[in-house]
Amino acid sequence: MSLANLLDKAANGGRLSFDEGVRLYKEADLHALGAAANARRMQLYPTNDVTYVIDTTINYTNVCNVHCTFCAFFRPEKHKEGYTMSHDQVLARVKYAADQGATQIMIQGGVNPELHLEWFEALFNRVRMEYPNVDIHSLSVSEVIGLANVEKMPTHDVLVRLKAAGMKSLPGAGAEILVERVRKRISARKVTPDVWLGVMREAQLLGMPTTATMMFGSIETDEERIEHLDVLRALQDETAGFTAFIPWYYVPWKTPLRGKEATGLEYLRVLAISRLYLDNFPHLQASWLTPGLKMGQLALFYGCDDMGGTILEEQVVHDAGSTNEATRKQLEELVVTAGFRPVIRDTYWNVRDDVALASA
């Protein structure tokens, strides 16, 4: 099949094989790839609406026993720069975000072996009771597995208790590249791809929606990027539990792994192939936090239907060397000047007109 025919097939929702995905990713002209992704996005959402959520990321601890080489945020156990927020400190940040209209609270940190499941249950119960209008979209597969190890209980049971405490959904953090060779090089203490997918499956079967991510640009090959998309697509076929895919690129400046930053062209190519290959994912997010706001705006023409969140605070990517920030007004201006209409949503893509006057 010619490249042109392959692009037409993908733009019309035809499923790409692994080999076809690799071929398009490596050989297709970037603008042709973007046009096909945009055509597919407009087929799925034939309006000018671009959604975003008012949210924050509270990094409650930087103590972590996983020690990933691509991370500049973590501190090993007992390190003098290690910190863990008190519940009151976390709640103060939740209040700040909620006062500005945030509906999504992401509480994420390192895998701190000093924290037990009861610590999170008490925290989430307080957030749920004191701020009932915010959704607790929090932790990561790594943190759930860390809790299972501390408590010596199955991850399924940890998720059941977290859900009962108010954690409504599980973010896709910690996926990086779901290929064993890559994970052994950049995050040797993390779980295998099958285990990561297994915890996601457990959460989804418990009725907890999840997102999926990909951190690309460290040491993986083009084929391994498609392999990552392939395993996510297979799980989505099985569960339909992913709400969105968020690819973002590795920021190397202050990490032990070092390396170089992906280019803007590479970022757009990943977005476009993601929209075409992940034919069963509802939403694709423009992850402006690492490539910047202007690249985030361009992403709207490469398959994205969502601008992600305002991210009122965040420390992990910042510590790696990223300095990008955005206000709600800036995000909306980017959407409007690109020719679209900004629409505020919540974690589950419900339109939230009630926070239209939020000050974030």
Side-chain angles (χ1 to χ4, degrees):
M1 187 181 293
S2 70
L3 275 177
N5 288 340
L6 204 51
L7 284 168
D8 283 344
K9 170 186 167 181
N12 287 296
R15 173 154 291 194
L16 297 171
S17 69
F18 177 81
D19 289 341
E20 289 171 338
V22 171
R23 185 180 172 206
L24 275 189
Y25 182 69
K26 297 178 77 165
E27 299 179 18
D29 173 80
L30 174 61
H31 296 306
L33 196 63
N38 188 54
R40 182 62 187 147
R41 173 257 193 261
M42 294 307 294
Q43 279 185 4
L44 293 169
Y45 306 102
T47 73
N48 272 350
D49 290 354
V50 168
T51 49
Y52 73 97
V53 64
I54 301 175
D55 68 343
T56 194
T57 299
I58 302 166
N59 299 123
Y60 63 95
T61 183
N62 66 348
V63 177
C64 186
N65 62 9
V66 180
H67 305 178
C68 298
T69 60
F70 62 83
C71 180
F73 169 72
F74 86 90
R75 295 294 181 272
E77 307 91 309
K78 311 302 181 187
H79 194 282
K80 64 180 181 181
E81 295 176 356
Y83 75 82
T84 299
M85 294 180 186
S86 67
H87 284 186
D88 286 342
Q89 288 173 316
V90 175
L91 264 293
R93 284 167 161 80
V94 174
K95 181 181 187 307
Y96 168 77
D99 285 349
Q100 297 184 73
T103 62
Q104 176 173 292
I105 303 296
M106 187 180 290
I107 299 172
Q108 281 188 333
V111 180
N112 185 339
E114 298 297 319
L115 298 179
H116 286 253
L117 183 53
E118 290 81 1
W119 190 91
F120 291 93
E121 290 177 309
L123 175 62
F124 292 164
N125 270 313
R126 281 192 63 185
V127 173
R128 177 167 60 95
M129 296 298 291
E130 295 179 31
Y131 301 97
N133 291 326
V134 304
D135 296 317
I136 305 174
H137 176 64
S138 293
L139 302 187
S140 64
V141 167
S142 296
E143 287 160 282
V144 171
I145 291 173
L147 282 171
N149 291 336
V150 167
E151 303 295 347
K152 295 180 173 46
M153 67 167 57
T155 51
H156 175 274
D157 296 352
V158 171
L159 288 167
V160 168
R161 287 179 55 175
L162 291 172
K163 183 182 179 187
M167 194 176 98
K168 292 185 177 179
S169 54
L170 182 63
E176 284 80 60
I177 296 289
L178 293 168
V179 173
E180 189 63 18
R181 183 195 75 85
V182 178
R183 295 177 80 80
K184 283 182 177 177
R185 288 278 306 279
I186 68 173
S187 53
R189 293 189 180 190
K190 270 189 176 167
V191 295
T192 65
D194 284 346
V195 173
W196 189 93
L197 292 163
V199 174
M200 277 286 162
R201 181 184 291 107
E202 289 175 339
Q204 292 165 353
L205 294 179
L206 285 170
M208 302 172 77
T210 74
T211 53
T213 62
M214 174 169 74
M215 185 200 76
F216 67 94
S218 59
I219 64 163
E220 79 283 353
T221 64
D222 292 343
E223 288 79 3
E224 286 167 338
R225 292 177 184 178
I226 304 301
E227 189 174 342
H228 179 92
L229 300 182
D230 199 63
V231 297
L232 291 176
R233 189 175 71 178
L235 181 57
Q236 183 74 337
D237 277 343
E238 178 186 332
T239 62
F242 289 115
T243 57
F245 181 62
I246 310 114
W248 57 284
Y249 67 68
Y250 166 59
V251 178
W253 310 122
K254 298 179 182 179
T255 68
L257 182 63
R258 305 296 286 184
K260 62 180 182 180
E261 195 175 57
T263 66
L265 298 181
E266 197 174 3
Y267 172 67
L268 295 175
R269 183 173 288 276
V270 167
L271 288 179
I273 195 64
S274 299
R275 172 58 85 184
L276 297 174
Y277 199 86
L278 296 175
D279 56 0
N280 53 4
F281 271 63
H283 301 288
L284 181 66
Q285 277 188 25
S287 50
W288 57 264
L289 186 61
T290 51
L293 291 171
K294 292 181 179 178
M295 289 303 299
Q297 186 182 42
L298 272 177
L300 300 179
F301 299 95
Y302 284 78
C304 292
D305 60 287
D306 187 272
M307 278 296 285
T310 55
I311 313 178
L312 299 172
E313 70 168 281
E314 195 280 337
Q315 199 61 43
V316 177
V317 177
H318 181 271
D319 282 1
S322 175
T323 57
N324 296 310
E325 295 179 347
T327 64
R328 176 189 166 200
K329 182 180 178 182
Q330 286 173 310
L331 283 188
E332 292 205 344
E333 283 179 353
L334 291 172
V335 173
V336 169
T337 54
F340 296 96
R341 184 175 79 99
V343 174
I344 301 177
R345 64 167 174 85
D346 63 15
T347 306
Y348 314 105
W349 269 265
N350 301 306
V351 173
R352 292 293 296 266
D353 292 330
D354 57 318
V355 292
L357 299 178
S359 60

